[in-house]
Amino acid sequence: MKSAILLTSTLMLTCSNLYAATPTLCDTTTCPTSDTGTYVENNPSNCKTYTRNCYKGTGSGTIRIAYSCTSCPTGQNLISTNIITECTSNTYNKCGCTNGCSTTAWTAKSTGYEVRDYCNTTNCTTTKEYRCARGYYGTSTNGTSGCTRCPASGGIYGTTAAAGSTVITSCYIPSGNTFSDSTGSGTYTGNCYYKN
């Protein structure tokens, strides 16, 4: 009887060693010397200064490294973020814009020009950006000059594949258009690009 109890006791110790508690993402751990082969939160180059904290992964124990900004470049603010949703006690700071700085969609400004608000996320400042509308080419810094309409051929003005073209060779007469000039008349069977 005594030997049976002793055997059971030994078996229980063996099982305890085999089924140790699985680490969770919320458990802190010693950081490895390199980030290679790990899951990294935040890019330290986005911080002015930072700390490096590490957490155990689930199952395989893969380490998650969190770079937490301690200060930000001028114009940016610290934004606190959870390592993952479940780990509300483990957070890191990243740097970003909290002043409403955002980049908007391009909109028509005037004939031949488009404008948008551009957020420079390095310093969280908003500036106006300008470009030439479709069918125009060039560069504009003010939305009133710098863009030129694509030239016409056979009474048909050229166009561009998209807005923002900077060179005249982006202009073309679309396939299927008919023309009539001093050389004759006909139909373009392919896109006809401008040649310098």
Side-chain angles (χ1 to χ4, degrees):
M1 188 72 165
K2 283 186 178 180
S3 61
I5 292 172
L6 181 60
L7 179 60
T8 303
S9 176
T10 304
L11 180 60
M12 287 175 64
L13 287 172
T14 304
C15 290
S16 176
N17 291 336
L18 286 176
Y19 295 96
T22 301
T24 70
L25 290 172
C26 303
D27 293 335
T28 57
T29 190
T30 304
C31 288
T33 55
S34 169
D35 290 356
T36 306
T38 60
Y39 185 94
V40 178
E41 301 272 7
N42 202 16
N43 183 342
S45 65
N46 295 330
C47 309
K48 186 174 181 181
T49 57
Y50 59 86
T51 58
R52 185 172 179 258
N53 302 305
C54 298
Y55 304 88
K56 293 177 183 176
T58 55
S60 65
T62 301
I63 292 176
R64 291 170 78 101
I65 298 173
Y67 284 94
S68 185
C69 301
T70 53
S71 65
C72 296
T74 302
Q76 292 194 21
N77 304 94
L78 292 173
I79 301 170
S80 183
T81 306
N82 291 346
I83 299 300
I84 61 168
T85 305
E86 294 81 5
C87 299
T88 55
S89 60
N90 295 338
T91 61
Y92 67 91
N93 291 323
K94 59 184 180 179
C95 292
C97 301
T98 57
N99 62 352
C101 179
S102 63
T103 299
T104 62
W106 289 99
T107 58
K109 182 182 185 302
S110 57
T111 303
Y113 297 88
E114 293 184 350
V115 63
R116 74 172 178 177
D117 289 328
Y118 173 75
C119 175
N120 181 339
T121 55
T122 300
N123 58 18
C124 298
T125 57
T126 304
T127 55
K128 296 285 185 191
E129 279 191 338
Y130 304 95
R131 71 179 182 182
C132 300
R134 188 174 182 197
Y136 292 76
Y137 67 93
T139 304
S140 179
T141 58
N142 56 16
T144 59
S145 63
C147 295
T148 305
R149 188 174 185 182
C150 288
S153 176
I156 301 168
Y157 279 96
T159 189
T160 55
S165 295
T166 58
V167 293
I168 193 171
T169 50
S170 297
C171 297
Y172 66 93
I173 305 291
S175 176
N177 279 284
T178 57
F179 67 93
S180 179
D181 58 22
S182 59
T183 63
S185 61
T187 302
Y188 293 107
T189 57
N191 292 340
C192 187
Y193 282 85
Y194 183 91
K195 289 184 180 180
N196 285 325

